Amino acid sequence: MEKEILLSSAYLAPVEYYTKLYAYDKVYVERFDHYAKQTYRNRCVIASAAGPLALTIPTEKSDEQKCLMKDVRISDHGNWRHVHWNAFVAGYKHSPFFDYYADEFQEFYKRRYTFLYDFNADLCQWICRQLDMQPCIVPTDDFCVSPEGVEDFRERIHPKKPFEANDPQFVPKPYYQVFDAQTGFLPNLSIIDLLFNMGPEGLLVLKESFYNEE
């Protein structure tokens, strides 16, 4: 029987999110949920010398009180592309694989996307290619309140909800991090942390971070 899961859109989603892309036969990514701030939809968390650092994409205010995720527009406010790129350089210039991926990755911060969903989706596809993953990702066609036969993780992978309590299948396997001597191992950072530090071997970390009770 196929294992299927429903996820929210996410900006450089955390490692936990990518263990689902690895482990499930089909992954639905929600386009028709009401956009919520302070979630991974427009936020990622990377490593810095001072510890975890959250990077947030500003979004345009909508005329609608509740805006669908597929309609959320990226704002140019605060020169965020420059800020995010500088944070990646500061955090990962000494990581083993930063130079290998940097040029391609930087292109995402030179191009001006209109919609947040499209930006997130293109980044996700690029990351999957670098990790040699071929997940079956299907954008949703409408909103389903309680999907039958599909695990619903739309609100379970969330920066304010501890994965330890919310997701027993996710058991993060430690890997090398640039600042681990200062900060110790920081679990469940953005997938970009895993990619820059471990390169293609990041796939093995994802595999070993997914606990299958079967």
Side-chain angles (χ1 to χ4, degrees):
M1 189 174 170
E2 275 200 342
K3 291 198 303 178
E4 300 182 349
I5 192 168
L6 179 57
L7 301 174
S8 65
S9 173
Y11 170 47
L12 293 174
V15 170
E16 177 188 7
Y17 187 104
Y18 278 81
T19 64
K20 308 306 181 194
L21 298 186
Y22 167 79
Y24 283 76
D25 300 304
K26 187 176 284 187
V27 178
Y28 296 95
V29 178
E30 184 62 77
R31 296 193 302 151
F32 289 86
D33 51 342
H34 289 135
Y35 175 67
K37 292 182 177 178
Q38 298 188 341
T39 66
Y40 287 124
R41 290 171 180 84
N42 71 324
R43 173 192 296 192
C44 70
V45 181
I46 65 169
S48 76
L53 173 66
L55 300 175
T56 302
I57 299 175
T59 56
E60 298 280 3
K61 284 191 168 61
S62 170
D63 295 333
E64 305 288 325
Q65 194 167 11
K66 292 182 176 177
C67 185
L68 298 181
M69 179 64 205
K70 71 180 183 67
D71 298 326
V72 173
R73 293 172 180 265
I74 293 174
S75 167
D76 290 331
H77 181 74
N79 200 14
W80 69 269
R81 294 174 184 84
H82 181 71
V83 171
H84 287 209
W85 180 251
N86 282 353
F88 294 130
V89 172
Y92 298 107
K93 63 185 174 186
H94 298 304
S95 67
F97 290 91
F98 179 78
D99 288 343
Y100 183 78
Y101 296 116
D103 289 348
E104 277 189 34
F105 184 55
Q106 191 177 15
E107 289 301 313
F108 289 98
Y109 295 87
K110 292 178 177 177
R111 181 179 166 190
R112 290 179 181 265
Y113 282 77
T114 301
F115 294 102
L116 178 61
Y117 185 95
D118 296 338
F119 183 56
N120 289 350
D122 282 1
L123 273 170
C124 182
Q125 287 179 359
W126 180 80
I127 297 249
C128 287
R129 285 198 301 273
Q130 312 318 309
L131 291 171
D132 199 21
M133 290 170 60
Q134 293 90 31
C136 177
I137 297 176
V138 181
T140 58
D141 290 327
D142 54 25
F143 184 79
C144 186
V145 177
S146 51
E148 204 171 313
V150 180
E151 288 198 56
D152 187 354
F153 267 77
R154 285 174 293 190
E155 300 303 330
R156 287 174 68 179
I157 299 176
H158 193 289
K160 296 187 185 302
K161 296 177 181 177
F163 64 81
E164 297 91 342
N166 246 20
D167 185 4
Q169 285 189 316
F170 178 57
V171 184
K173 179 177 174 59
Y175 56 88
Y176 168 78
Q177 291 176 327
V178 175
F179 302 111
D180 53 14
Q182 295 112 286
T183 63
F185 176 69
L186 300 173
N188 209 25
L189 295 179
S190 166
I191 190 67
I192 207 69
D193 182 84
L194 179 61
L195 186 67
F196 285 155
N197 284 313
M198 298 299 291
E201 287 188 21
L203 185 63
L204 297 174
V205 176
L206 294 179
K207 183 178 181 181
E208 293 178 18
S209 297
F210 184 83
Y211 175 69
N212 193 344
E213 298 103 326
E214 292 174 4

